[in-house]
PDB file of all heavy atoms in Angstrom:
ATOM      1  N   LYS Y 258     113.044 106.218  72.194  1.00  0.00           N
ATOM      2  CA  LYS Y 258     113.540 105.824  73.514  1.00  0.00           C
ATOM      3  C   LYS Y 258     112.932 106.617  74.653  1.00  0.00           C
ATOM      4  O   LYS Y 258     112.913 106.128  75.788  1.00  0.00           O
ATOM      5  CB  LYS Y 258     115.091 105.995  73.518  1.00  0.00           C
ATOM      6  CG  LYS Y 258     115.820 105.023  72.650  1.00  0.00           C
ATOM      7  CD  LYS Y 258     117.134 104.656  73.267  1.00  0.00           C
ATOM      8  CE  LYS Y 258     117.693 103.360  72.653  1.00  0.00           C
ATOM      9  NZ  LYS Y 258     118.479 103.608  71.457  1.00  0.00           N
ATOM     10  N   LYS Y 259     112.335 107.781  74.286  1.00  0.00           N
ATOM     11  CA  LYS Y 259     111.668 108.581  75.365  1.00  0.00           C
ATOM     12  C   LYS Y 259     110.225 108.306  75.354  1.00  0.00           C
ATOM     13  O   LYS Y 259     109.465 109.179  75.931  1.00  0.00           O
ATOM     14  CB  LYS Y 259     112.006 110.072  75.211  1.00  0.00           C
ATOM     15  CG  LYS Y 259     113.432 110.377  75.532  1.00  0.00           C
ATOM     16  CD  LYS Y 259     113.687 111.885  75.450  1.00  0.00           C
ATOM     17  CE  LYS Y 259     115.088 112.167  75.819  1.00  0.00           C
ATOM     18  NZ  LYS Y 259     115.535 113.433  75.382  1.00  0.00           N
ATOM     19  N   PHE Y 260     109.752 107.296  74.692  1.00  0.00           N
ATOM     20  CA  PHE Y 260     108.319 106.918  74.530  1.00  0.00           C
ATOM     21  C   PHE Y 260     107.480 107.948  73.756  1.00  0.00           C
ATOM     22  O   PHE Y 260     106.280 107.962  73.868  1.00  0.00           O
ATOM     23  CB  PHE Y 260     107.671 106.688  75.897  1.00  0.00           C
ATOM     24  CG  PHE Y 260     108.278 105.676  76.770  1.00  0.00           C
ATOM     25  CD1 PHE Y 260     108.531 105.822  78.109  1.00  0.00           C
ATOM     26  CD2 PHE Y 260     108.730 104.461  76.180  1.00  0.00           C
ATOM     27  CE1 PHE Y 260     109.098 104.848  78.879  1.00  0.00           C
ATOM     28  CE2 PHE Y 260     109.318 103.481  76.948  1.00  0.00           C
ATOM     29  CZ  PHE Y 260     109.552 103.701  78.293  1.00  0.00           C
ATOM     30  N   ASN Y 261     108.148 108.750  72.949  1.00  0.00           N
ATOM     31  CA  ASN Y 261     107.422 109.705  72.073  1.00  0.00           C
ATOM     32  C   ASN Y 261     106.985 108.933  70.842  1.00  0.00           C
ATOM     33  O   ASN Y 261     107.876 108.286  70.153  1.00  0.00           O
ATOM     34  CB  ASN Y 261     108.270 110.938  71.710  1.00  0.00           C
ATOM     35  CG  ASN Y 261     108.609 111.752  72.891  1.00  0.00           C
ATOM     36  OD1 ASN Y 261     107.727 111.993  73.694  1.00  0.00           O
ATOM     37  ND2 ASN Y 261     109.876 112.108  72.970  1.00  0.00           N
ATOM     38  N   PRO Y 262     105.750 108.958  70.359  1.00  0.00           N
ATOM     39  CA  PRO Y 262     105.354 108.327  69.160  1.00  0.00           C
ATOM     40  C   PRO Y 262     106.083 108.816  67.936  1.00  0.00           C
ATOM     41  O   PRO Y 262     106.332 110.024  67.800  1.00  0.00           O
ATOM     42  CB  PRO Y 262     103.836 108.636  69.131  1.00  0.00           C
ATOM     43  CG  PRO Y 262     103.403 109.069  70.481  1.00  0.00           C
ATOM     44  CD  PRO Y 262     104.613 109.700  71.053  1.00  0.00           C
ATOM     45  N   ILE Y 263     106.452 107.832  67.097  1.00  0.00           N
ATOM     46  CA  ILE Y 263     107.113 108.193  65.839  1.00  0.00           C
ATOM     47  C   ILE Y 263     105.988 108.221  64.824  1.00  0.00           C
ATOM     48  O   ILE Y 263     105.482 107.212  64.325  1.00  0.00           O
ATOM     49  CB  ILE Y 263     108.214 107.180  65.463  1.00  0.00           C
ATOM     50  CG1 ILE Y 263     109.212 106.963  66.627  1.00  0.00           C
ATOM     51  CG2 ILE Y 263     108.905 107.572  64.182  1.00  0.00           C
ATOM     52  CD1 ILE Y 263     110.068 105.760  66.535  1.00  0.00           C
ATOM     53  N   LYS Y 264     105.551 109.478  64.425  1.00  0.00           N
ATOM     54  CA  LYS Y 264     104.359 109.692  63.636  1.00  0.00           C
ATOM     55  C   LYS Y 264     104.375 108.860  62.309  1.00  0.00           C
ATOM     56  O   LYS Y 264     103.353 108.381  61.903  1.00  0.00           O
ATOM     57  CB  LYS Y 264     104.272 111.250  63.274  1.00  0.00           C
ATOM     58  CG  LYS Y 264     103.737 112.040  64.445  1.00  0.00           C
ATOM     59  CD  LYS Y 264     102.209 112.018  64.553  1.00  0.00           C
ATOM     60  CE  LYS Y 264     101.718 112.554  65.837  1.00  0.00           C
ATOM     61  NZ  LYS Y 264     100.841 111.744  66.559  1.00  0.00           N
ATOM     62  N   GLU Y 265     105.569 108.753  61.640  1.00  0.00           N
ATOM     63  CA  GLU Y 265     105.681 108.076  60.360  1.00  0.00           C
ATOM     64  C   GLU Y 265     105.289 106.628  60.461  1.00  0.00           C
ATOM     65  O   GLU Y 265     104.975 105.987  59.480  1.00  0.00           O
ATOM     66  CB  GLU Y 265     107.026 108.187  59.711  1.00  0.00           C
ATOM     67  CG  GLU Y 265     107.708 109.535  59.675  1.00  0.00           C
ATOM     68  CD  GLU Y 265     108.169 110.051  61.023  1.00  0.00           C
ATOM     69  OE1 GLU Y 265     109.206 109.516  61.527  1.00  0.00           O
ATOM     70  OE2 GLU Y 265     107.605 111.033  61.505  1.00  0.00           O
ATOM     71  N   THR Y 266     105.321 106.074  61.676  1.00  0.00           N
ATOM     72  CA  THR Y 266     104.983 104.656  61.845  1.00  0.00           C
ATOM     73  C   THR Y 266     103.539 104.421  62.128  1.00  0.00           C
ATOM     74  O   THR Y 266     103.116 103.300  62.338  1.00  0.00           O
ATOM     75  CB  THR Y 266     105.846 104.018  62.941  1.00  0.00           C
ATOM     76  OG1 THR Y 266     105.412 104.610  64.227  1.00  0.00           O
ATOM     77  CG2 THR Y 266     107.362 104.224  62.778  1.00  0.00           C
ATOM     78  N   ALA Y 267     102.676 105.464  62.162  1.00  0.00           N
ATOM     79  CA  ALA Y 267     101.304 105.328  62.556  1.00  0.00           C
ATOM     80  C   ALA Y 267     100.550 104.410  61.604  1.00  0.00           C
ATOM     81  O   ALA Y 267     100.801 104.370  60.478  1.00  0.00           O
ATOM     82  CB  ALA Y 267     100.635 106.698  62.547  1.00  0.00           C
ATOM     83  N   ARG Y 268      99.652 103.587  62.214  1.00  0.00           N
ATOM     84  CA  ARG Y 268      98.933 102.585  61.472  1.00  0.00           C
ATOM     85  C   ARG Y 268      97.534 102.545  62.038  1.00  0.00           C
ATOM     86  O   ARG Y 268      97.369 102.575  63.353  1.00  0.00           O
ATOM     87  CB  ARG Y 268      99.653 101.253  61.679  1.00  0.00           C
ATOM     88  CG  ARG Y 268      99.293 100.098  60.959  1.00  0.00           C
ATOM     89  CD  ARG Y 268     100.532  99.091  60.926  1.00  0.00           C
ATOM     90  NE  ARG Y 268     100.841  98.525  62.178  1.00  0.00           N
ATOM     91  CZ  ARG Y 268     100.214  97.467  62.754  1.00  0.00           C
ATOM     92  NH1 ARG Y 268      99.125  96.932  62.096  1.00  0.00           N
ATOM     93  NH2 ARG Y 268     100.566  96.979  63.919  1.00  0.00           N
ATOM     94  N   ILE Y 269      96.493 102.433  61.260  1.00  0.00           N
ATOM     95  CA  ILE Y 269      95.159 102.307  61.773  1.00  0.00           C
ATOM     96  C   ILE Y 269      94.721 100.886  61.771  1.00  0.00           C
ATOM     97  O   ILE Y 269      94.915 100.122  60.794  1.00  0.00           O
ATOM     98  CB  ILE Y 269      94.152 103.120  60.955  1.00  0.00           C
ATOM     99  CG1 ILE Y 269      94.605 104.580  60.750  1.00  0.00           C
ATOM    100  CG2 ILE Y 269      92.731 103.032  61.459  1.00  0.00           C
ATOM    101  CD1 ILE Y 269      94.521 105.467  62.080  1.00  0.00           C
TER     102      ILE Y 269
END
Side-chain angles (χ1 to χ4, degrees):
K258 288 213 163 92
K259 291 185 175 158
F260 301 139
N261 296 314
I263 306 167
K264 284 275 168 234
E265 309 75 69
T266 65
R268 186 159 69 81
I269 305 290

